[in-house]
Amino acid sequence: MTTEELKEALPNFTDPALLKQLLTQGQIMNLKAGKVLMEPGQFIKMVPIILSGSIKISRMDDEGRELFLYYLDAGETCALSLTCCSSSKPSEIKAVVEEDTVLIGIPITAIDHFSDEFKQWKDFVANTYQSRFQEMLVALDAVAFKRMDERLMQYIVTKMKQHKTNELSTTHQEIANELTTSREVVSRLLKQLEKKKWIELGRNVIYIRDDFEELISK
């Protein structure tokens, strides 16, 4: 990959010296959907910056239940990974490749150097912390204040936008895991949406109306 190609993938980085260092220090990785990139308790050796595709970031409890936090999309990195790097602490999150993804992994040994040398990197880190904090607040508010049917409908909208499709290939159990509820609750709520003709359920697939987001906002 050239610096021009990297600049196209990461438009927030325009400093030629920073782009060159990212390529020199970083490692380009091609990851298939479903790959577990990070587990809780592992020590982080690199900070991922997404060039294309997406990665799902979740928290896990002691019983293995999962709480979805946010997605990493093109041009983004993980604030929690940056935090663990700076404090030399093990990971507190699970990172799973949501769709085929290309990323550049920046070794933790280079992070301090980038922060000292490049203002654009410091701005990138600061903006990452701010945006991820807001997203985690949204996730916490959903758990604390929203009914499960509202959370499910918003989950469907998020997935549609994430994958840019109206056909979601997933199981009821996978949805339940992400929403920290039971499969039975998810199945019941999906059936209610199907009765309204807002969605159609297939085998491990959900077909969603084009105007679904508009319907749920009424």
Side-chain angles (χ1 to χ4, degrees):
M1 175 175 283
T2 66
T3 54
E4 284 301 317
E5 290 172 332
L6 185 61
K7 181 179 178 180
E8 186 176 349
L10 303 174
N12 289 330
F13 294 148
T14 58
D15 185 338
L18 174 56
L19 290 166
K20 183 177 179 180
Q21 282 295 304
L22 287 171
L23 284 178
T24 301
Q25 301 281 348
Q27 177 185 0
I28 304 294
M29 303 172 66
N30 293 273
L31 305 173
K32 292 295 185 182
K35 178 176 176 56
V36 178
L37 191 61
M38 178 60 59
E39 292 271 20
Q42 291 181 347
F43 280 89
I44 295 174
K45 298 180 180 179
M46 62 89 180
V47 172
I49 304 178
I50 312 304
L51 303 182
S52 65
S54 63
I55 292 177
K56 181 177 70 176
I57 305 297
S58 306
R59 285 271 289 175
M60 308 291 292
D61 68 9
D62 293 337
E63 297 178 2
R65 291 177 298 188
E66 182 176 325
L67 174 62
F68 168 75
L69 295 179
Y70 52 78
Y71 289 107
L72 299 180
D73 293 317
E76 298 179 339
T77 192
C78 180
L80 295 175
S81 295
L82 289 167
T83 300
C84 291
C85 284
S86 62
S87 59
S88 299
K89 291 183 177 180
S91 170
E92 297 179 349
I93 54 95
K94 181 178 182 180
V96 179
V97 179
E98 182 77 3
E99 56 185 323
D100 290 353
T101 294
V102 180
L103 63 81
I104 183 168
I106 308 302
I108 60 174
T109 53
I111 298 300
D112 289 341
H113 167 67
F114 286 0
S115 297
D116 291 338
E117 293 293 324
F118 302 109
K119 182 180 184 302
Q120 282 189 353
W121 178 265
K122 288 191 290 187
D123 291 343
F124 175 65
V125 171
N127 290 335
T128 294
Y129 281 130
Q130 181 179 15
S131 61
R132 295 306 167 208
F133 179 72
Q134 292 297 324
E135 286 178 325
M136 285 190 284
L137 284 181
V138 171
L140 290 172
D141 284 348
V143 172
F145 304 119
K146 286 190 175 182
R147 301 193 314 267
M148 186 54 67
D149 60 339
E150 295 175 319
R151 291 177 60 197
L152 175 61
M153 289 185 289
Q154 190 56 54
Y155 171 90
I156 291 173
V157 171
T158 299
K159 285 285 190 179
M160 288 172 60
K161 293 180 178 179
Q162 187 70 29
H163 295 288
K164 300 178 178 61
T165 180
N166 287 33
E167 296 183 15
L168 301 185
S169 298
T170 186
T171 67
H172 295 190
Q173 186 61 60
E174 288 170 345
I175 298 173
N177 291 343
E178 291 199 29
L179 296 179
T180 60
T181 187
S182 68
R183 181 184 58 79
E184 290 76 14
V185 168
V186 169
S187 296
R188 174 172 55 82
L189 294 175
L190 287 174
K191 284 291 186 182
Q192 291 176 2
L193 293 175
E194 188 175 42
K195 286 182 180 178
K196 293 181 178 180
K197 300 188 184 302
W198 291 4
I199 65 171
E200 181 181 342
L201 300 176
R203 182 174 177 81
N204 297 338
V205 64
I206 303 173
Y207 304 98
I208 306 154
R209 282 179 49 165
D210 291 338
D211 58 348
F212 182 83
E213 186 172 10
E214 181 182 343
L215 288 169
I216 68 173
S217 64
K218 290 181 180 179

